[in-house]
Amino acid sequence: MYKRVLLKLSGEALAGNGSAFDPAVLERLTREIKEIQELGVELAIVVGGGNFIRGKEMAAIGMNRAQADYMGMLGTVINALAVQNALEKEGVQTRVQTAVEMQKVAEPFILRRAIRHLEKGRVVIFGAGTGSPYFSTDTTAALRASEIGADVILMAKNGVDGVYDCDPKKNPNAKKFDRLAYMDVLNLGLQVMDTTAITMCLDNNIDLVVFNMNTDGSIVQAVKQTINGTIISK
């Protein structure tokens, strides 16, 4: 079982049908995270903001890219606070740290403080990405995992149970990979994370597990290394 884990959640995974959040998803997520905490695993979370806005998409319709990315960072903070609220309702101690300072709602990101929270058994939720435009929350996940010394990044996908050689939703003959090396991901051009994030994981020797979070108990299984997903390593 992994000792220190970084869980990457997409904003879309939190969304409901026509709403920003699905209460059922938050409830299931809370239940699993509480179980992980009770196992003694140190858990940090990076959450995306795609249920609100994507910087690249806004830039494509003419908005200034840096401005659009800052808007996306605010969306990730909203999601971080929503996850925090759901967890603390069930008695799970949490801290939200943001790369863009907003002291009324969260702590600023301070590495030593984040590690101390983890050591005390608190779930640390990182919001506002890296604090700089042009970097995705995938890159944020790789950066924060490297900084806190995480054993693994658990990439919880919305309805996809691993890495395929092409889109399994479009091609029923798509081949699933059980294990991959990071260089395979780069050479084959597989759309797992952006290139910056993949390179950072490779350089810092952090494993990546890609799995379907829509299956009940899947996050716990990923922590216990019993999930049927794709493992990417150096």
Side-chain angles (χ1 to χ4, degrees):
M1 190 162 58
Y2 296 113
K3 182 179 184 296
R4 182 174 290 172
V5 169
L6 188 137
L7 175 64
K8 170 61 170 64
L9 295 172
S10 68
E12 292 92 332
L14 301 177
N17 186 17
S19 63
F21 302 107
D22 184 340
V25 172
L26 286 173
E27 181 182 348
R28 179 165 53 82
L29 181 65
T30 298
R31 186 171 63 249
E32 294 196 45
I33 289 175
K34 186 174 183 178
E35 183 177 344
I36 291 167
Q37 187 188 49
E38 290 170 349
L39 290 170
V41 176
E42 297 175 1
L43 178 65
I45 301 172
V46 168
V47 62
N51 51 331
F52 291 107
I53 187 173
R54 284 184 174 276
K56 280 187 177 181
E57 293 176 0
M58 298 304 293
I61 61 173
M63 181 175 285
N64 176 274
R65 174 62 191 275
Q67 192 82 342
D69 280 351
Y70 281 120
M71 292 168 65
M73 290 178 211
L74 296 178
T76 71
V77 176
I78 294 172
N79 285 338
L81 294 175
V83 172
Q84 179 184 46
N85 181 73
L87 289 171
E88 294 201 334
K89 281 172 62 179
E90 297 302 318
V92 178
Q93 287 195 345
T94 69
R95 292 291 188 275
V96 172
Q97 291 196 346
T98 60
V100 177
E101 289 192 21
M102 43 189 78
Q103 296 179 4
K104 294 290 186 181
V105 296
E107 296 179 359
F109 170 68
I110 299 172
L111 177 58
R112 288 179 179 271
R113 184 180 290 178
I115 291 174
R116 187 60 178 149
H117 288 322
L118 292 171
E119 291 171 343
K120 289 185 174 182
R122 298 169 183 146
V123 175
V124 180
I125 308 166
F126 297 118
T130 65
S132 299
Y134 298 97
F135 292 98
S136 70
T137 50
D138 286 349
T139 298
T140 304
L143 175 62
R144 296 290 181 252
S146 301
E147 289 176 312
I148 67 173
D151 302 318
V152 67
I153 298 172
L154 304 182
M155 178 159 279
K157 290 290 188 180
N158 188 19
V160 181
D161 64 347
V163 180
Y164 289 78
D165 61 351
C166 57
D167 190 343
K169 295 179 181 179
K170 297 178 180 178
N171 184 357
N173 297 317
K175 175 190 173 185
K176 180 185 173 185
F177 299 101
D178 293 324
R179 297 192 72 94
L180 282 167
Y182 280 115
M183 289 306 300
D184 296 329
V185 174
L186 293 171
N187 292 334
L188 295 172
L190 300 175
Q191 301 299 309
V192 182
M193 302 171 99
D194 60 74
T195 305
T196 305
I198 290 292
T199 303
M200 190 172 294
C201 289
L202 171 63
D203 289 344
N204 293 286
N205 199 23
I206 300 172
D207 286 356
L208 175 68
V209 178
V210 183
F211 66 100
N212 181 10
M213 72 165 286
N214 294 341
T215 306
D216 196 32
S218 59
I219 302 175
V220 177
Q221 291 173 21
V223 168
K224 292 181 175 180
Q225 302 185 42
T226 59
I227 192 71
N228 181 25
T230 300
I231 300 174
I232 306 173
S233 61
K234 189 171 183 178

